[in-house]
Amino acid sequence: MIPATWKYVWNNSADPRVVRAHTLADAARAARPRITLSRSEGGGPVLAYGGLPQGLTYVLPFLEQRRGGASHRVGRGTTWADLMHGRAAPDADILAVGVLGDRVPAQLPRHSLLLPFRVTLAVPVGPDSQDVLGRLSRKARQQHARELRSHSRTLEVAVRDDDFAFFYDDMHQPTMVNRHGDAARSEDRDIARVCLFERGVLFFLCESGRRVAGMLCRLEGRTLVVRLAGVARGDDQAYASGTYLAMYVLILQWAAEHGLTRVDLSGCEPFLSKGIFQFKRKMHPEVALPGNHFTGKRLMLQVRRDSPSVRAFLAANPVFAIGQRQGFEAVYFHDEDHPPRLDLRWNCPGVRGQRLVHFDDFLALLPDAARQPPAVPPNLP
């Protein structure tokens, strides 16, 4: 197996042998965990992340982006005992701990929630491609039909090497830089070519014959996995015009017409405020644990201090929590000053319902010292 293929398989395969090996490697890497403290020049809660190192790629950057402002981090070594009990980050307002599922304590620390580390979103498809439209709201169906006609939109399947180069260099890379900057996550070019293009399908959305967007997908049995996307030159206008929604709908219909049974839309962090989730929710996907190594990872979210900025942050970012029953639960924090963000909707298969949690109840037993915002050093680390 060439290095590019092995790297992709290691990070993405649902093969139980690969998942088991990855889990063992994760346990070894996290034997001596680290804690990273993050402050913002613009204020907001002091965040901390510790435990499994993947959280520095997925969890902490998302929390920092939602807090806003330039982030300043400082890290150090700690122990699992101090992480689990919150002692590892005494200055943190909110502590997130990435942990393997078998290390989650039977009794969570007080003022904590247990979340999946990531969730995956997938749409089952049948032999009738028109059933795909039935998953959309009436408003979304009308917009799709209207713009399909007005923009003369069609779906192209591309197979040449120069098609891949055009997609990766002129669509995907500019889009990642424009949308995410230094926080962009993607596959490098060799992996994308060998593991996706040569083992999948490259789609272009055309308007009046001109390529305006593309998606590179991998075929895994009868499942089509959406992996990389981009718009021409990374142009923001494409996001406002319904281009991506049109492309997803046409790809879902293509999958149904070609005998596939499932389209994996890829995953995201377990927060309803994640823009990718709110966008893909329009297609009514099933929300589940990922099939790869993330399936056994969990995120413990603990509130360490009560303050107006902490309440504002948590109210703005409802979560998917893991409860006693099968499936996830949408949890919304609120109080008299922070109404629950019910506009961030959860309604998808795999999410069994919602729970409203009042801050005064959730934080009732915090010590008095934890009800004041922490002092911020004059020189941020």
mmCIF file of all heavy atoms in Angstrom, residues 188-218:
data_model
loop_
_atom_site.group_PDB
_atom_site.id
_atom_site.type_symbol
_atom_site.label_atom_id
_atom_site.label_comp_id
_atom_site.label_asym_id
_atom_site.label_seq_id
_atom_site.Cartn_x
_atom_site.Cartn_y
_atom_site.Cartn_z
ATOM 1 N N ASP A 188 -4.246 16.331 1.124
ATOM 2 C CA ASP A 188 -3.253 16.884 0.222
ATOM 3 C C ASP A 188 -3.483 16.340 -1.193
ATOM 4 O O ASP A 188 -4.244 15.398 -1.409
ATOM 5 C CB ASP A 188 -1.830 16.638 0.728
ATOM 6 C CG ASP A 188 -1.415 15.181 0.725
ATOM 7 O OD1 ASP A 188 -1.743 14.452 -0.236
ATOM 8 O OD2 ASP A 188 -0.736 14.781 1.679
ATOM 9 N N ARG A 189 -2.806 16.927 -2.141
ATOM 10 C CA ARG A 189 -3.114 16.682 -3.546
ATOM 11 C C ARG A 189 -2.933 15.217 -3.935
ATOM 12 O O ARG A 189 -3.775 14.633 -4.639
ATOM 13 C CB ARG A 189 -2.206 17.578 -4.414
ATOM 14 C CG ARG A 189 -2.763 17.914 -5.781
ATOM 15 C CD ARG A 189 -1.826 18.919 -6.463
ATOM 16 N NE ARG A 189 -2.418 19.502 -7.646
ATOM 17 C CZ ARG A 189 -2.481 18.900 -8.824
ATOM 18 N NH1 ARG A 189 -1.990 17.682 -8.961
ATOM 19 N NH2 ARG A 189 -3.041 19.502 -9.861
ATOM 20 N N ASP A 190 -1.844 14.581 -3.502
ATOM 21 C CA ASP A 190 -1.596 13.187 -3.869
ATOM 22 C C ASP A 190 -2.673 12.262 -3.314
ATOM 23 O O ASP A 190 -3.142 11.344 -3.990
ATOM 24 C CB ASP A 190 -0.220 12.744 -3.380
ATOM 25 C CG ASP A 190 0.906 13.332 -4.211
ATOM 26 O OD1 ASP A 190 0.620 13.806 -5.333
ATOM 27 O OD2 ASP A 190 2.051 13.323 -3.748
ATOM 28 N N ILE A 191 -3.049 12.491 -2.047
ATOM 29 C CA ILE A 191 -4.088 11.661 -1.446
ATOM 30 C C ILE A 191 -5.410 11.862 -2.178
ATOM 31 O O ILE A 191 -6.139 10.903 -2.461
ATOM 32 C CB ILE A 191 -4.232 11.981 0.052
ATOM 33 C CG1 ILE A 191 -2.988 11.505 0.812
ATOM 34 C CG2 ILE A 191 -5.493 11.342 0.627
ATOM 35 C CD1 ILE A 191 -3.009 11.823 2.288
ATOM 36 N N ALA A 192 -5.741 13.116 -2.499
ATOM 37 C CA ALA A 192 -6.990 13.395 -3.203
ATOM 38 C C ALA A 192 -7.030 12.703 -4.563
ATOM 39 O O ALA A 192 -8.063 12.163 -4.975
ATOM 40 C CB ALA A 192 -7.168 14.898 -3.368
ATOM 41 N N ARG A 193 -5.893 12.689 -5.250
ATOM 42 C CA ARG A 193 -5.868 12.070 -6.579
ATOM 43 C C ARG A 193 -5.969 10.553 -6.489
ATOM 44 O O ARG A 193 -6.779 9.923 -7.181
ATOM 45 C CB ARG A 193 -4.583 12.469 -7.320
ATOM 46 C CG ARG A 193 -4.479 11.888 -8.733
ATOM 47 C CD ARG A 193 -3.197 12.326 -9.408
ATOM 48 N NE ARG A 193 -2.011 11.954 -8.638
ATOM 49 C CZ ARG A 193 -1.471 10.740 -8.626
ATOM 50 N NH1 ARG A 193 -1.997 9.769 -9.354
ATOM 51 N NH2 ARG A 193 -0.387 10.493 -7.906
ATOM 52 N N VAL A 194 -5.141 9.947 -5.618
ATOM 53 C CA VAL A 194 -5.064 8.490 -5.557
ATOM 54 C C VAL A 194 -6.286 7.885 -4.857
ATOM 55 O O VAL A 194 -6.848 6.878 -5.315
ATOM 56 C CB VAL A 194 -3.767 8.057 -4.843
ATOM 57 C CG1 VAL A 194 -3.754 6.547 -4.607
ATOM 58 C CG2 VAL A 194 -2.553 8.488 -5.644
ATOM 59 N N CYS A 195 -6.691 8.471 -3.742
ATOM 60 C CA CYS A 195 -7.710 7.844 -2.897
ATOM 61 C C CYS A 195 -9.127 8.319 -3.183
ATOM 62 O O CYS A 195 -10.090 7.656 -2.778
ATOM 63 C CB CYS A 195 -7.383 8.086 -1.423
ATOM 64 S SG CYS A 195 -5.795 7.417 -0.931
ATOM 65 N N LEU A 196 -9.266 9.451 -3.843
ATOM 66 C CA LEU A 196 -10.599 9.965 -4.133
ATOM 67 C C LEU A 196 -10.884 9.946 -5.631
ATOM 68 O O LEU A 196 -11.806 9.277 -6.089
ATOM 69 C CB LEU A 196 -10.754 11.384 -3.562
ATOM 70 C CG LEU A 196 -10.497 11.532 -2.060
ATOM 71 C CD1 LEU A 196 -10.656 12.982 -1.632
ATOM 72 C CD2 LEU A 196 -11.433 10.631 -1.265
ATOM 73 N N PHE A 197 -10.093 10.663 -6.416
ATOM 74 C CA PHE A 197 -10.353 10.769 -7.846
ATOM 75 C C PHE A 197 -10.272 9.404 -8.536
ATOM 76 O O PHE A 197 -11.131 9.062 -9.355
ATOM 77 C CB PHE A 197 -9.356 11.739 -8.471
ATOM 78 C CG PHE A 197 -9.529 11.922 -9.958
ATOM 79 C CD1 PHE A 197 -10.692 12.480 -10.471
ATOM 80 C CD2 PHE A 197 -8.535 11.533 -10.843
ATOM 81 C CE1 PHE A 197 -10.856 12.654 -11.843
ATOM 82 C CE2 PHE A 197 -8.687 11.700 -12.213
ATOM 83 C CZ PHE A 197 -9.852 12.262 -12.706
ATOM 84 N N GLU A 198 -9.244 8.611 -8.205
ATOM 85 C CA GLU A 198 -9.082 7.311 -8.853
ATOM 86 C C GLU A 198 -10.010 6.242 -8.280
ATOM 87 O O GLU A 198 -10.133 5.160 -8.856
ATOM 88 C CB GLU A 198 -7.624 6.847 -8.741
ATOM 89 C CG GLU A 198 -6.656 7.745 -9.508
ATOM 90 C CD GLU A 198 -5.212 7.287 -9.402
ATOM 91 O OE1 GLU A 198 -4.964 6.242 -8.749
ATOM 92 O OE2 GLU A 198 -4.331 7.972 -9.954
ATOM 93 N N ARG A 199 -10.675 6.538 -7.167
ATOM 94 C CA ARG A 199 -11.570 5.563 -6.537
ATOM 95 C C ARG A 199 -12.951 6.160 -6.304
ATOM 96 O O ARG A 199 -13.669 5.732 -5.396
ATOM 97 C CB ARG A 199 -10.989 5.081 -5.209
ATOM 98 C CG ARG A 199 -9.662 4.366 -5.380
ATOM 99 C CD ARG A 199 -9.133 3.851 -4.078
ATOM 100 N NE ARG A 199 -7.887 3.131 -4.275
ATOM 101 C CZ ARG A 199 -7.636 1.914 -3.802
ATOM 102 N NH1 ARG A 199 -8.563 1.271 -3.135
ATOM 103 N NH2 ARG A 199 -6.479 1.331 -4.015
ATOM 104 N N GLY A 200 -13.295 7.157 -7.106
ATOM 105 C CA GLY A 200 -14.576 7.793 -6.891
ATOM 106 C C GLY A 200 -15.091 8.512 -8.115
ATOM 107 O O GLY A 200 -14.853 8.084 -9.249
ATOM 108 N N VAL A 201 -15.771 9.620 -7.869
ATOM 109 C CA VAL A 201 -16.414 10.383 -8.934
ATOM 110 C C VAL A 201 -16.172 11.871 -8.693
ATOM 111 O O VAL A 201 -16.315 12.353 -7.562
ATOM 112 C CB VAL A 201 -17.934 10.118 -8.985
ATOM 113 C CG1 VAL A 201 -18.557 10.778 -10.212
ATOM 114 C CG2 VAL A 201 -18.245 8.631 -8.964
ATOM 115 N N LEU A 202 -15.797 12.570 -9.757
ATOM 116 C CA LEU A 202 -15.643 14.020 -9.702
ATOM 117 C C LEU A 202 -16.824 14.649 -10.427
ATOM 118 O O LEU A 202 -17.067 14.373 -11.607
ATOM 119 C CB LEU A 202 -14.329 14.450 -10.359
ATOM 120 C CG LEU A 202 -14.109 15.953 -10.542
ATOM 121 C CD1 LEU A 202 -14.127 16.683 -9.196
ATOM 122 C CD2 LEU A 202 -12.797 16.217 -11.285
ATOM 123 N N PHE A 203 -17.566 15.494 -9.701
ATOM 124 C CA PHE A 203 -18.730 16.177 -10.258
ATOM 125 C C PHE A 203 -18.433 17.667 -10.432
ATOM 126 O O PHE A 203 -17.760 18.280 -9.588
ATOM 127 C CB PHE A 203 -19.939 16.045 -9.322
ATOM 128 C CG PHE A 203 -20.406 14.642 -9.087
ATOM 129 C CD1 PHE A 203 -20.025 13.963 -7.940
ATOM 130 C CD2 PHE A 203 -21.235 14.003 -9.991
ATOM 131 C CE1 PHE A 203 -20.465 12.669 -7.696
ATOM 132 C CE2 PHE A 203 -21.682 12.707 -9.761
ATOM 133 C CZ PHE A 203 -21.294 12.035 -8.616
ATOM 134 N N PHE A 204 -18.977 18.228 -11.493
ATOM 135 C CA PHE A 204 -18.993 19.679 -11.661
ATOM 136 C C PHE A 204 -20.436 20.124 -11.831
ATOM 137 O O PHE A 204 -21.215 19.495 -12.559
ATOM 138 C CB PHE A 204 -18.196 20.121 -12.891
ATOM 139 C CG PHE A 204 -16.704 20.022 -12.732
ATOM 140 C CD1 PHE A 204 -15.980 19.088 -13.463
ATOM 141 C CD2 PHE A 204 -16.024 20.863 -11.859
ATOM 142 C CE1 PHE A 204 -14.608 18.980 -13.323
ATOM 143 C CE2 PHE A 204 -14.653 20.761 -11.704
ATOM 144 C CZ PHE A 204 -13.944 19.815 -12.439
ATOM 145 N N LEU A 205 -20.798 21.213 -11.161
ATOM 146 C CA LEU A 205 -22.071 21.877 -11.413
ATOM 147 C C LEU A 205 -21.833 22.943 -12.469
ATOM 148 O O LEU A 205 -20.957 23.807 -12.293
ATOM 149 C CB LEU A 205 -22.621 22.516 -10.138
ATOM 150 C CG LEU A 205 -23.965 23.226 -10.315
ATOM 151 C CD1 LEU A 205 -25.077 22.212 -10.565
ATOM 152 C CD2 LEU A 205 -24.293 24.091 -9.105
ATOM 153 N N CYS A 206 -22.578 22.870 -13.547
ATOM 154 C CA CYS A 206 -22.413 23.816 -14.658
ATOM 155 C C CYS A 206 -23.628 24.731 -14.748
ATOM 156 O O CYS A 206 -24.764 24.289 -14.532
ATOM 157 C CB CYS A 206 -22.237 23.072 -15.978
ATOM 158 S SG CYS A 206 -20.820 21.947 -16.007
ATOM 159 N N GLU A 207 -23.370 25.986 -15.038
ATOM 160 C CA GLU A 207 -24.423 26.954 -15.312
ATOM 161 C C GLU A 207 -24.240 27.449 -16.736
ATOM 162 O O GLU A 207 -23.201 28.041 -17.057
ATOM 163 C CB GLU A 207 -24.380 28.108 -14.309
ATOM 164 C CG GLU A 207 -24.690 27.663 -12.883
ATOM 165 C CD GLU A 207 -24.735 28.815 -11.886
ATOM 166 O OE1 GLU A 207 -24.331 29.939 -12.272
ATOM 167 O OE2 GLU A 207 -25.161 28.583 -10.742
ATOM 168 N N SER A 208 -25.222 27.156 -17.580
ATOM 169 C CA SER A 208 -25.130 27.464 -19.010
ATOM 170 C C SER A 208 -23.829 26.907 -19.604
ATOM 171 O O SER A 208 -23.170 27.563 -20.413
ATOM 172 C CB SER A 208 -25.221 28.981 -19.240
ATOM 173 O OG SER A 208 -26.446 29.486 -18.741
ATOM 174 N N GLY A 209 -23.449 25.709 -19.149
ATOM 175 C CA GLY A 209 -22.269 25.038 -19.664
ATOM 176 C C GLY A 209 -20.960 25.421 -19.005
ATOM 177 O O GLY A 209 -19.926 24.824 -19.313
ATOM 178 N N ARG A 210 -20.960 26.386 -18.096
ATOM 179 C CA ARG A 210 -19.728 26.835 -17.438
ATOM 180 C C ARG A 210 -19.629 26.210 -16.053
ATOM 181 O O ARG A 210 -20.571 26.264 -15.260
ATOM 182 C CB ARG A 210 -19.733 28.361 -17.325
ATOM 183 C CG ARG A 210 -18.472 28.954 -16.677
ATOM 184 C CD ARG A 210 -18.523 30.476 -16.706
ATOM 185 N NE ARG A 210 -19.671 30.990 -15.968
ATOM 186 C CZ ARG A 210 -19.651 31.294 -14.674
ATOM 187 N NH1 ARG A 210 -18.542 31.123 -13.958
ATOM 188 N NH2 ARG A 210 -20.732 31.760 -14.083
ATOM 189 N N ARG A 211 -18.459 25.616 -15.743
ATOM 190 C CA ARG A 211 -18.261 24.990 -14.438
ATOM 191 C C ARG A 211 -18.166 26.054 -13.348
ATOM 192 O O ARG A 211 -17.301 26.924 -13.381
ATOM 193 C CB ARG A 211 -16.977 24.163 -14.440
ATOM 194 C CG ARG A 211 -17.020 22.947 -15.360
ATOM 195 C CD ARG A 211 -15.642 22.326 -15.488
ATOM 196 N NE ARG A 211 -15.669 21.045 -16.194
ATOM 197 C CZ ARG A 211 -14.590 20.353 -16.503
ATOM 198 N NH1 ARG A 211 -13.366 20.807 -16.174
ATOM 199 N NH2 ARG A 211 -14.698 19.210 -17.146
ATOM 200 N N VAL A 212 -19.061 25.959 -12.360
ATOM 201 C CA VAL A 212 -19.057 26.952 -11.283
ATOM 202 C C VAL A 212 -18.736 26.336 -9.925
ATOM 203 O O VAL A 212 -18.388 27.056 -8.987
ATOM 204 C CB VAL A 212 -20.411 27.697 -11.215
ATOM 205 C CG1 VAL A 212 -20.653 28.485 -12.495
ATOM 206 C CG2 VAL A 212 -21.570 26.730 -10.951
ATOM 207 N N ALA A 213 -18.854 25.013 -9.795
ATOM 208 C CA ALA A 213 -18.570 24.361 -8.514
ATOM 209 C C ALA A 213 -18.233 22.904 -8.779
ATOM 210 O O ALA A 213 -18.555 22.360 -9.838
ATOM 211 C CB ALA A 213 -19.760 24.469 -7.568
ATOM 212 N N GLY A 214 -17.573 22.283 -7.810
ATOM 213 C CA GLY A 214 -17.211 20.884 -7.966
ATOM 214 C C GLY A 214 -17.222 20.146 -6.643
ATOM 215 O O GLY A 214 -17.084 20.754 -5.575
ATOM 216 N N MET A 215 -17.400 18.829 -6.711
ATOM 217 C CA MET A 215 -17.309 17.967 -5.538
ATOM 218 C C MET A 215 -16.599 16.684 -5.940
ATOM 219 O O MET A 215 -16.922 16.086 -6.970
ATOM 220 C CB MET A 215 -18.680 17.640 -4.959
ATOM 221 C CG MET A 215 -19.291 18.770 -4.162
ATOM 222 S SD MET A 215 -20.791 18.262 -3.301
ATOM 223 C CE MET A 215 -21.272 19.857 -2.606
ATOM 224 N N LEU A 216 -15.658 16.280 -5.103
ATOM 225 C CA LEU A 216 -14.908 15.046 -5.324
ATOM 226 C C LEU A 216 -15.367 14.030 -4.282
ATOM 227 O O LEU A 216 -15.274 14.287 -3.072
ATOM 228 C CB LEU A 216 -13.411 15.315 -5.196
ATOM 229 C CG LEU A 216 -12.464 14.148 -5.475
ATOM 230 C CD1 LEU A 216 -12.711 13.536 -6.847
ATOM 231 C CD2 LEU A 216 -11.015 14.607 -5.349
ATOM 232 N N CYS A 217 -15.877 12.908 -4.750
ATOM 233 C CA CYS A 217 -16.481 11.907 -3.875
ATOM 234 C C CYS A 217 -15.775 10.566 -4.034
ATOM 235 O O CYS A 217 -15.227 10.258 -5.097
ATOM 236 C CB CYS A 217 -17.964 11.732 -4.211
ATOM 237 S SG CYS A 217 -18.918 13.267 -4.201
ATOM 238 N N ARG A 218 -15.825 9.775 -3.000
ATOM 239 C CA ARG A 218 -15.239 8.429 -3.018
ATOM 240 C C ARG A 218 -16.366 7.400 -3.035
ATOM 241 O O ARG A 218 -17.386 7.582 -2.342
ATOM 242 C CB ARG A 218 -14.351 8.228 -1.796
ATOM 243 C CG ARG A 218 -13.706 6.827 -1.698
ATOM 244 C CD ARG A 218 -12.806 6.765 -0.482
ATOM 245 N NE ARG A 218 -12.399 5.410 -0.140
ATOM 246 C CZ ARG A 218 -11.259 4.851 -0.510
ATOM 247 N NH1 ARG A 218 -10.391 5.524 -1.249
ATOM 248 N NH2 ARG A 218 -10.962 3.620 -0.141
#
